[in-house]
Amino acid sequence: YHYGYHVYAAAVVAKLDPSWGREHFDEVLLYIRDFANPSEDDEFFPQYRQKDWFLGSSWASGIVSAENSPHGRNEESSSEAISAYEGVTLFGSAMVDAFEEVFHDNQSSLASKLETALLIRDSGQLLAASEIHATNRYWHIWSSDTHNSTYPPEYQQPVVGMLYDTMATFQTWFSSWAVVSYGIQLIPLTPVAETRDDIDWATELYPKYEKACADTGDFCEDNGWSILQAGLLATTGNYTDAVKQAMAVPEEVFATDGGLGNSMSNTIWYIATRKNPE
């Protein structure tokens, strides 16, 4: 779902500069056709390559996982899958506006592109909504008056780090630190997270995240995972301390890969726009 970051960025540019979007529509569409293709008539790309419509979630690999696991396919970052489909939705929406801006009757070429943009927008919404629903069933684990955990009480963690066809595990591909298994379900901090992250779940997760971050020494801050801690704290309703945490992150962390794609301005925006849990 790294393609999703490119599509999201293209959506932002197309929103601000519709002429750029119209000029590069077909190029961006290549990204979308590869992982979220809405057309059943495309002779080059399969329809909805990653999506498992039975589960509602997606798979990050093909028939088997990269390590040829006997447990089959897997997905690690549910939040990146959601964000990728969010990017598809936003690009489709921006391009509907961009084409309608210049569309006139009897322009068959623009009519076709407008129809494609509408299909991208609408299918992106379905992909994102179903992914969020599946995430709250299989990756985010909590119990409340309105939500029952999918897993038995023996599974004590509030997240699944990697979900396979036949196994749920608290781990990631690239790190043994618990904070990474937590944080990989929170990246990136984008608007869809307000729907993605239930407040009760975030409230249960936060103390575990805080401890897990502290347990790593400098690793958590140096690699940007403390940025997500600030965002998570804001989701629980503690905006003041969340801002303090974000402002304490060294500036150089935001300017490197350790920033996890979250700039300081994006982090402050995210904290400031969380809804009141009351």
Side-chain angles (χ1 to χ4, degrees), residues 28 31 57 68 124 128 131 155 158 163 178 182 195-196 207-209 227 231 243-244 246-247:
V28 178
Y31 278 115
S57 55
N68 201 28
E131 199 78 22
Y155 191 93
L163 183 71
Y182 297 144
T195 303
R196 180 193 73 201
K208 292 179 179 290
Y209 196 109
I227 299 171
V243 170
K244 291 178 181 177
M247 297 299 291

Side-chain angles (χ1 to χ4, degrees), residues 15-275:
K15 180 68 174 179
L16 298 175
D17 186 353
S19 63
W20 181 94
R22 291 189 293 268
E23 180 180 355
H24 297 285
F25 179 68
D26 290 331
E27 287 90 339
V28 178
L29 199 57
L30 285 172
Y31 278 115
I32 295 172
R33 288 165 64 197
D34 199 5
F35 74 93
N37 184 16
S39 174
E40 62 182 356
D41 299 321
D42 194 320
E43 61 180 305
F44 298 105
F45 296 93
Q47 188 179 34
Y48 305 123
R49 182 195 299 273
Q50 315 296 139
K51 194 69 172 181
D52 185 325
W53 289 108
F54 180 80
L55 294 177
S57 55
S58 299
W59 298 111
S61 60
I63 301 300
V64 296
S65 59
E67 84 279 27
N68 201 28
S69 169
H71 299 288
R73 300 166 295 178
N74 75 82
E75 177 168 275
E76 185 177 58
S77 179
S78 59
S79 53
E80 286 185 300
I82 292 167
S83 178
Y85 296 139
E86 175 189 24
V88 171
T89 304
L90 293 176
F91 183 74
S93 180
M95 293 313 303
V96 167
D97 293 341
F99 288 129
E100 287 183 339
E101 184 180 270
V102 298
F103 180 74
H104 303 287
D105 291 340
N106 301 319
Q107 288 181 292
S108 58
S109 61
L110 277 185
S112 176
K113 289 190 174 183
L114 176 57
E115 183 179 357
T116 299
L118 285 164
L119 181 59
I120 291 169
R121 181 197 66 187
D122 295 346
S123 64
Q125 290 177 329
L126 176 60
L127 289 164
S130 56
E131 199 78 22
I132 290 171
H133 182 80
T135 291
N136 282 318
R137 177 175 291 275
Y138 301 117
W139 277 267
H140 294 187
I141 303 170
W142 83 101
S143 293
S144 68
D145 293 339
T146 58
H147 180 86
N148 293 321
S149 172
T150 300
Y151 296 93
E154 287 78 11
Y155 191 93
Q156 293 292 306
Q157 293 293 349
V159 307
V160 165
M162 295 179 69
L163 183 71
Y164 290 80
D165 272 314
T166 61
M167 180 174 67
T169 66
F170 184 68
Q171 66 180 66
T172 67
W173 282 107
F174 56 95
S175 176
S176 60
W177 291 114
V179 71
V180 177
S181 290
Y182 297 144
I184 201 69
Q185 308 305 332
L186 297 170
I187 59 172
L189 301 180
T190 61
V192 76
E194 185 165 311
T195 303
R196 180 193 73 201
D197 298 341
D198 181 270
I199 293 174
D200 289 338
W201 172 75
T203 301
E204 285 190 25
L205 172 59
Y206 182 78
K208 292 179 179 290
Y209 196 109
E210 182 180 36
K211 181 181 183 303
C213 185
D215 287 345
T216 70
D218 294 333
F219 173 87
C220 184
E221 183 176 89
D222 290 348
N223 289 275
W225 300 102
S226 58
I227 299 171
L228 301 173
Q229 181 179 332
L232 182 64
L233 184 58
T235 301
T236 71
N238 191 342
Y239 316 113
T240 301
D241 287 343
V243 170
K244 291 178 181 177
Q245 284 187 10
M247 297 299 291
V249 176
E251 183 177 348
E252 59 269 20
V253 172
F254 289 98
T256 67
D257 292 342
L260 297 171
N262 299 301
S263 65
M264 171 65 87
S265 58
N266 184 72
T267 304
I268 297 301
W269 159 82
Y270 186 86
I271 292 169
T273 55
R274 295 310 87 200
K275 58 185 176 183

